[in-house]
Amino acid sequence: MGDRPLHCSIKNPILLTVEDQKNAFHSGCKVIDVTFPNVSSPETQTVPISFCERVGEICFKNYYTAYVSIRVKFKAAPENGAESGEIKWKTCVRRMRLMPSPHKESGSQDYFAISKKQFSFDISNISAMRIILQQPSPVWKEFRIEDLRLYRSSEMLSKPPPLPAWLTEDSANSTKHKLELQTKAKEKGIPNLESISSSLQELWGLSEEMAINQSKTEIGRYEVDGCYEVNLLAYT
Amino acid sequence: MADKKKPNSADDRPQETDRQFLERYSIGTLMKDVLGKIVSNRPKDPITFLSDYFDSLEDQSNLVLKARNIIEMTHHSRPVFEMNVRQAYDIMLKQKVGKRLYGVNGTSYTDLIKTLCRDMPQPVTTKLLKKIECLDYEAITFDVFKSGVFTCCVLQDYVKLCEMLFNSLDFQSSGKVDKILSDVVNEQLKAALANTRTDARKIVEAGYNLGPDGLFYALERGMRSKSQLGGQTLEQFTIEICDAFLSKVKRLR
C-alpha cells in the first residue's frame, strides 16, 4: 500500500431488484461500477477505451455488507484493429465473506484489504470492474462499502522510513545507560556531558519563555518607507 | 567644661522626642516600604537586599536608575516582577519630555535597557537594541515597555548561563573553549530554537538533540574532524550563543 491509490471513477451502488408488480422485494444485492477514466493523451488512441493495467490490492471499509464479489471486464482484444472482440466479465473474487454471520455485528464495520493472493487470476488490462455487495439478512436494510481504494501493487515498494532516534532509545533514563554514556564521554575527553546538556536545555527554555512573552502590540509608527513626514501621511 | 554640657535634648521628654525625631526624617514610612518590599520580593539574601536598597535610595534624582533598581528587585519568573515593572513604568512616567509633557519616550526607554544590560558584552547589547529600540521621540506604551524589560531580564539570566556553559566546555580550564565544540553546541541550540513551538514532534526531537545522548553524538562528530580552529574566549562565546537568543526576539515594527 505504498503508492497512491489508482485513479478511478467509482459510481454509486445500484440496488438490483427484480421488478414485478406483485413481487417487489428488497433483494439485498448492490453493484458498484468502477471505471478507469482515460488518462493518456488523445493523440495516441483513436478509440478512447479506458483501462487499467494492473490492480494489486483493493482496500475498503465495510458497512454491514456480508459478501463481496468482484468481477472484471477485460479490455477487448482487437481482432480487426479497431473492432472490439467479445467483451467478457470474469469473476475475480467470488463471494468473499466479510461478516461471519450476516445477522450479527461482527465484521460489519471492519477494514478489509483484498490482495493478489485472493484473486482467482491476476488482474491486468481491465476496462471496468464491478463490485457486487450482498447482504441476505433482513436485519440490515442499508449496506455498502466505504472508502474504496485500488492500488497497483500490494508489495511495499520502499521500506518504511526508519524510526527517529529518540523513539528507538531503550529507556534513556536507566542508570546503566547513563553510566555507559558517561564513560564513553570521559574516554572522548568530555568530562561533564550532563552539565553541558542541562545548561543547553536551560538556555533553550529561557529563549522559548522570552519568545512567548513578546509584545504583540504595534508601537504605532506612522512611517512611510522609513521616513516620517507629516505631509506624506496626509496623502496615504 | 565640655563634659558638663548636657547632650542636646536627649533626656528631655524622651518618648516624644524620639517619635518626633523619626518623623522628621520619615523613617517610619521608609521602614514600612522596606519591610513591604522584603515580604513581597522574598529575596534569597535579605541583608544584601536591604543594603542595596538603602544604597539605591541615593539615586533619587535619576528616574532611570530608580526604575532599574525596582525592576532588579526580584527574579523575572515571579509574579511580583510584573508589579515591579508597573511601578518602574509609573516612576518613569514622571520624566519630563517636553513643555508640560511627561512620559516615557524613546530616550529614557533606551537608557533603561542599556543600564539593565550593563553586564553583558557590548555587541550583544547593540544587537538587542537593534531589535527592540524605539526612536527618541516615540511614546512607549506599557506593553512595549514590559516586553523590552522582560527580554532584558531573561537575557541577563541567559548570559550568566552562558558563562556556566563555557566553564563546562572548557575541559582543560584554560580559559578558552575549542571553536569546534562551541560551533557544535551553537548549532544544536539554534536547531532547537528554529523549530516552531506547536510542532510536537520537532519539540521532542529538539529535546533529544540537546539531551546527553544526542549531544554526545554531535560532540563526537565534531571532535572527530581534525581541523583546528583555535579557541574562543568567554566574551566571543557569549556573543555567539546570544545570537540564538536574539533570533527569537521579535523586531519592533
Side-chain angles (χ1 to χ4, degrees), chain B residues 64-65 67-69 71-72 108-133 147-160 235 238 242 245-246 249:
Chain B
V64 170
L65 283 179
R68 180 197 84 190
N69 289 326
I71 291 171
E72 288 186 340
S108 31
Y109 172 70
T110 313
D111 283 340
L112 180 64
I113 302 279
K114 280 195 185 142
T115 171
L116 276 172
C117 300
R118 63 195 180 283
D119 289 327
M120 302 178 207
Q122 184 58 35
V124 173
T125 318
T126 326
K127 281 191 204 159
L128 176 69
L129 276 175
K130 275 212 188 96
K131 288 233 168 168
I132 63 172
E133 73 182 335
S147 157
V149 164
F150 183 73
T151 309
C152 283
C153 293
V154 177
L155 190 54
Q156 280 176 349
D157 272 353
Y158 192 90
V159 167
K160 284 196 204 114
E235 186 165 327
T238 311
C242 284
F245 179 91
L246 290 171
V249 175

Coordinates of all heavy atoms in Angstrom, one line a residue, chain B residues 64-65 67-69 71-72 108-133 147-160 235 238 242 245-246 249:
Chain B
V64 N 15.7 56.8 35.8 CA 16.0 55.6 35.1 C 16.7 54.6 36.1 O 16.3 53.4 36.2 CB 16.9 55.9 33.9 CG1 17.5 54.6 33.4 CG2 16.2 56.6 32.9
L65 N 17.6 55.2 36.9 CA 18.3 54.3 37.9 C 17.3 53.7 38.9 O 17.3 52.6 39.3 CB 19.4 55.0 38.6 CG 20.7 55.1 37.7 CD1 21.8 55.9 38.5 CD2 21.2 53.8 37.3
A67 N 14.1 53.3 38.5 CA 13.3 52.2 37.8 C 14.1 50.9 37.7 O 13.6 49.9 38.0 CB 12.9 52.7 36.4
R68 N 15.4 51.1 37.4 CA 16.2 49.9 37.2 C 16.3 49.1 38.5 O 16.2 47.9 38.6 CB 17.5 50.2 36.7 CG 18.4 49.0 36.5 CD 19.9 49.4 36.4 NE 20.4 49.5 37.8 CZ 21.6 50.0 38.0 NH1 22.4 50.4 37.0 NH2 22.1 50.0 39.2
N69 N 16.5 49.8 39.6 CA 16.6 49.2 40.9 C 15.3 48.4 41.3 O 15.4 47.3 41.8 CB 17.0 50.2 42.0 CG 18.4 50.7 41.8 OD1 19.2 49.9 41.4 ND2 18.6 51.9 42.1
I71 N 13.2 47.2 39.2 CA 13.0 46.0 38.3 C 13.9 44.9 38.8 O 13.5 43.7 38.7 CB 13.3 46.4 36.9 CG1 12.2 47.4 36.4 CG2 13.4 45.2 36.0 CD1 12.5 47.9 35.0
E72 N 15.1 45.2 39.3 CA 16.0 44.2 39.6 C 15.8 43.6 41.0 O 16.6 42.8 41.5 CB 17.4 44.7 39.5 CG 17.8 44.9 38.0 CD 19.3 45.3 37.8 OE1 19.9 45.8 38.8 OE2 19.8 45.1 36.7
S108 N 14.5 57.6 27.2 CA 14.6 57.0 28.6 C 14.4 55.5 28.5 O 15.1 54.8 29.3 CB 13.5 57.6 29.5 OG 12.4 58.0 28.8
Y109 N 13.6 55.0 27.6 CA 13.5 53.6 27.4 C 14.8 53.0 27.0 O 15.2 52.0 27.6 CB 12.4 53.3 26.3 CG 12.2 51.9 25.9 CD1 11.7 51.0 26.7 CD2 12.6 51.5 24.6 CE1 11.5 49.7 26.3 CE2 12.4 50.2 24.2 CZ 11.9 49.3 25.0 OH 11.7 48.0 24.6
T110 N 15.5 53.6 26.0 CA 16.8 53.1 25.6 C 17.8 53.1 26.8 O 18.6 52.2 27.0 CB 17.3 53.9 24.4 OG1 16.2 54.0 23.5 CG2 18.4 53.1 23.8
D111 N 17.7 54.2 27.5 CA 18.6 54.3 28.7 C 18.4 53.2 29.6 O 19.4 52.6 30.2 CB 18.4 55.7 29.4 CG 19.1 56.8 28.6 OD1 20.0 56.5 27.8 OD2 18.7 58.0 28.9
L112 N 17.1 52.9 29.9 CA 16.8 51.8 30.9 C 17.3 50.5 30.4 O 18.0 49.7 31.1 CB 15.3 51.8 31.1 CG 14.9 50.7 32.1 CD1 15.4 51.0 33.4 CD2 13.3 50.7 32.1
I113 N 17.1 50.2 29.1 CA 17.6 49.0 28.5 C 19.1 48.9 28.6 O 19.6 47.8 29.0 CB 17.1 48.8 27.0 CG1 15.6 49.0 26.9 CG2 17.7 47.6 26.4 CD1 14.9 47.7 27.2
K114 N 19.7 50.0 28.3 CA 21.2 49.9 28.4 C 21.7 49.7 29.8 O 22.7 48.9 30.0 CB 21.8 51.3 27.9 CG 21.8 51.4 26.4 CD 22.7 52.5 25.9 CE 22.6 52.7 24.4 NZ 22.6 54.1 24.0
T115 N 21.1 50.3 30.7 CA 21.6 50.1 32.1 C 21.2 48.7 32.6 O 22.0 48.1 33.4 CB 21.1 51.2 33.0 OG1 21.5 50.8 34.4 CG2 19.7 51.4 33.0
L116 N 20.1 48.1 32.2 CA 19.8 46.8 32.6 C 20.8 45.8 32.0 O 21.1 44.8 32.6 CB 18.4 46.4 32.1 CG 17.2 46.8 33.0 CD1 15.9 46.5 32.2 CD2 17.2 46.1 34.3
C117 N 21.3 46.1 30.8 CA 22.2 45.2 30.1 C 23.7 45.6 30.4 O 24.6 45.3 29.6 CB 22.0 45.2 28.6 SG 20.3 44.8 28.2
R118 N 24.0 46.2 31.5 CA 25.3 46.7 31.7 C 26.3 45.6 31.9 O 27.5 45.9 31.7 CB 25.4 47.7 32.9 CG 25.0 47.0 34.2 CD 24.7 48.0 35.3 NE 24.4 47.4 36.6 CZ 23.3 46.8 36.8 NH1 22.3 46.8 35.9 NH2 23.0 46.3 38.0
D119 N 25.9 44.4 32.3 CA 26.9 43.4 32.5 C 27.1 42.5 31.3 O 27.8 41.5 31.4 CB 26.4 42.5 33.6 CG 26.4 43.2 35.0 OD1 27.4 44.0 35.1 OD2 25.6 42.9 35.8
M120 N 26.5 42.8 30.2 CA 26.7 42.0 29.0 C 27.7 42.5 28.0 O 28.0 43.7 28.0 CB 25.4 41.9 28.3 CG 24.3 41.3 29.1 SD 22.8 41.3 28.2 CE 21.6 41.5 29.4
P121 N 28.3 41.7 27.2 CA 29.2 42.2 26.2 C 28.5 43.2 25.3 O 27.4 43.1 25.0 CB 29.6 41.0 25.4 CG 29.2 39.8 26.2 CD 28.1 40.2 27.1
Q122 N 29.3 44.2 24.9 CA 28.7 45.3 24.2 C 28.0 44.9 22.9 O 26.9 45.4 22.6 CB 29.8 46.4 23.9 CG 29.3 47.6 23.2 CD 28.3 48.3 23.9 OE1 28.3 48.4 25.1 NE2 27.3 48.9 23.2
P123 N 28.6 44.0 22.1 CA 28.0 43.6 20.8 C 26.6 43.0 21.0 O 25.7 43.2 20.2 CB 28.9 42.5 20.2 CG 30.2 42.8 20.8 CD 30.0 43.4 22.2
V124 N 26.4 42.3 22.2 CA 25.1 41.7 22.4 C 24.1 42.8 22.7 O 23.0 42.8 22.1 CB 25.2 40.8 23.7 CG1 23.8 40.3 24.1 CG2 26.1 39.6 23.4
T125 N 24.5 43.8 23.5 CA 23.6 44.9 23.7 C 23.2 45.6 22.4 O 22.0 46.0 22.2 CB 24.2 45.9 24.7 OG1 24.8 45.1 25.7 CG2 23.2 46.8 25.3
T126 N 24.2 45.9 21.6 CA 23.9 46.6 20.3 C 22.9 45.8 19.5 O 22.0 46.4 19.0 CB 25.2 46.7 19.5 OG1 26.3 46.9 20.4 CG2 25.1 47.9 18.6
K127 N 23.1 44.5 19.4 CA 22.2 43.7 18.6 C 20.8 43.7 19.2 O 19.8 43.8 18.4 CB 22.7 42.3 18.5 CG 23.8 42.1 17.5 CD 24.1 40.6 17.2 CE 25.6 40.5 16.8 NZ 26.1 39.2 16.9
L128 N 20.8 43.6 20.5 CA 19.4 43.6 21.1 C 18.7 44.9 20.9 O 17.5 45.0 20.5 CB 19.6 43.4 22.6 CG 18.3 43.5 23.4 CD1 17.4 42.3 23.1 CD2 18.6 43.5 24.9
L129 N 19.5 46.0 21.0 CA 18.9 47.3 20.8 C 18.4 47.5 19.3 O 17.3 48.1 19.1 CB 19.9 48.4 21.1 CG 19.9 48.8 22.6 CD1 21.0 49.8 22.9 CD2 18.6 49.3 23.0
K130 N 19.1 46.9 18.4 CA 18.6 47.0 17.0 C 17.3 46.4 16.9 O 16.5 46.9 16.1 CB 19.6 46.2 16.1 CG 20.8 47.0 15.7 CD 21.3 46.5 14.3 CE 22.6 47.2 13.9 NZ 23.7 46.4 14.2
K131 N 17.0 45.4 17.7 CA 15.7 44.7 17.5 C 14.6 45.4 18.3 O 13.5 45.5 17.8 CB 15.8 43.3 18.1 CG 16.6 42.4 17.2 CD 15.8 41.2 16.8 CE 16.4 40.4 15.7 NZ 15.8 39.1 15.6
I132 N 14.9 45.9 19.5 CA 13.8 46.4 20.3 C 13.9 47.9 20.5 O 13.2 48.5 21.3 CB 13.7 45.7 21.6 CG1 14.9 46.0 22.5 CG2 13.4 44.3 21.5 CD1 14.8 45.5 23.9
E133 N 14.7 48.6 19.8 CA 14.9 50.0 20.1 C 13.7 50.8 19.5 O 13.0 50.4 18.6 CB 16.2 50.6 19.5 CG 16.1 50.7 18.0 CD 17.4 51.2 17.5 OE1 18.2 51.9 18.2 OE2 17.7 51.0 16.3
S147 N 7.5 44.3 27.7 CA 8.2 43.3 26.9 C 9.7 43.5 26.8 O 10.5 42.5 26.9 CB 7.5 43.3 25.5 OG 8.3 42.7 24.5
G148 N 10.1 44.7 26.6 CA 11.5 45.0 26.4 C 12.2 44.7 27.7 O 13.3 44.1 27.7
V149 N 11.6 45.2 28.9 CA 12.3 44.9 30.2 C 12.4 43.4 30.5 O 13.4 42.9 30.9 CB 11.5 45.7 31.3 CG1 11.9 45.2 32.6 CG2 11.7 47.2 31.1
F150 N 11.3 42.7 30.2 CA 11.3 41.3 30.4 C 12.4 40.6 29.6 O 13.2 39.7 30.1 CB 10.0 40.7 30.0 CG 9.8 39.2 30.3 CD1 9.8 38.8 31.6 CD2 9.8 38.3 29.3 CE1 9.6 37.4 31.9 CE2 9.7 37.0 29.5 CZ 9.6 36.5 30.8
T151 N 12.5 41.0 28.3 CA 13.6 40.4 27.4 C 14.9 40.7 28.0 O 15.8 39.8 28.1 CB 13.5 41.0 26.0 OG1 12.2 40.9 25.6 CG2 14.4 40.3 25.1
C152 N 15.2 41.9 28.5 CA 16.5 42.2 29.1 C 16.8 41.3 30.3 O 17.9 40.8 30.5 CB 16.5 43.6 29.6 SG 16.7 44.7 28.3
C153 N 15.8 41.1 31.2 CA 16.0 40.3 32.4 C 16.3 38.9 32.1 O 17.1 38.3 32.7 CB 14.8 40.4 33.3 SG 14.6 42.1 34.0
V154 N 15.5 38.4 31.1 CA 15.8 37.0 30.7 C 17.2 36.9 30.1 O 17.9 35.9 30.3 CB 14.7 36.5 29.7 CG1 15.0 35.1 29.2 CG2 13.4 36.5 30.3
L155 N 17.5 37.9 29.3 CA 18.9 37.9 28.7 C 20.0 37.9 29.8 O 21.0 37.3 29.6 CB 19.0 39.1 27.8 CG 20.2 39.1 26.9 CD1 20.4 37.8 26.1 CD2 20.2 40.3 25.9
Q156 N 19.7 38.6 30.9 CA 20.7 38.6 32.0 C 20.9 37.2 32.5 O 22.1 36.8 32.6 CB 20.2 39.5 33.2 CG 20.3 41.0 33.0 CD 19.7 41.7 34.2 OE1 19.0 41.2 35.0 NE2 20.0 43.0 34.2
D157 N 19.8 36.5 32.7 CA 20.0 35.1 33.1 C 20.7 34.3 32.1 O 21.5 33.4 32.4 CB 18.6 34.5 33.3 CG 18.0 34.7 34.7 OD1 18.8 35.2 35.5 OD2 16.9 34.4 35.0
Y158 N 20.3 34.5 30.9 CA 20.9 33.8 29.7 C 22.4 33.9 29.7 O 23.2 33.0 29.5 CB 20.2 34.3 28.5 CG 20.5 33.5 27.2 CD1 19.6 32.4 26.9 CD2 21.5 33.7 26.4 CE1 19.8 31.7 25.7 CE2 21.7 33.0 25.2 CZ 20.8 32.0 24.9 OH 21.0 31.3 23.8
V159 N 22.9 35.2 29.9 CA 24.3 35.4 29.8 C 25.0 34.7 31.0 O 26.1 34.2 30.8 CB 24.6 37.0 29.8 CG1 26.0 37.3 30.0 CG2 24.1 37.6 28.5
K160 N 24.4 34.7 32.1 CA 25.0 34.0 33.3 C 25.1 32.5 33.0 O 26.2 31.9 33.3 CB 24.2 34.2 34.5 CG 24.3 35.6 35.1 CD 23.8 35.6 36.6 CE 23.4 37.0 36.9 NZ 22.0 37.3 37.1
E235 N 34.0 36.0 26.1 CA 33.2 37.0 25.5 C 32.7 36.6 24.1 O 31.6 36.8 23.7 CB 34.0 38.3 25.4 CG 33.1 39.5 24.9 CD 33.8 40.8 25.2 OE1 34.4 40.9 26.2 OE2 33.6 41.7 24.4
T238 N 30.1 34.0 24.4 CA 28.8 34.6 24.8 C 28.1 35.2 23.7 O 26.9 35.1 23.4 CB 29.0 35.6 26.0 OG1 29.8 35.0 26.9 CG2 27.7 36.0 26.6
C242 N 24.5 34.1 22.3 CA 23.4 35.0 22.4 C 22.7 35.3 21.1 O 21.6 35.7 21.0 CB 23.9 36.4 23.0 SG 24.2 36.2 24.7
F245 N 19.6 33.4 21.0 CA 18.5 34.0 21.8 C 17.9 35.2 21.0 O 16.7 35.4 20.9 CB 19.1 34.5 23.1 CG 18.2 35.2 24.0 CD1 17.5 34.5 24.9 CD2 18.0 36.6 23.9 CE1 16.6 35.2 25.8 CE2 17.1 37.2 24.8 CZ 16.4 36.5 25.7
L246 N 18.8 36.0 20.4 CA 18.4 37.2 19.8 C 17.6 36.9 18.6 O 16.7 37.8 18.1 CB 19.6 38.1 19.4 CG 20.2 38.7 20.7 CD1 21.5 39.4 20.3 CD2 19.3 39.7 21.3
V249 N 14.0 37.2 19.4 CA 13.4 38.5 19.9 C 12.7 39.1 18.7 O 13.2 39.2 17.6 CB 14.5 39.4 20.4 CG1 13.9 40.8 20.7 CG2 15.3 38.8 21.5

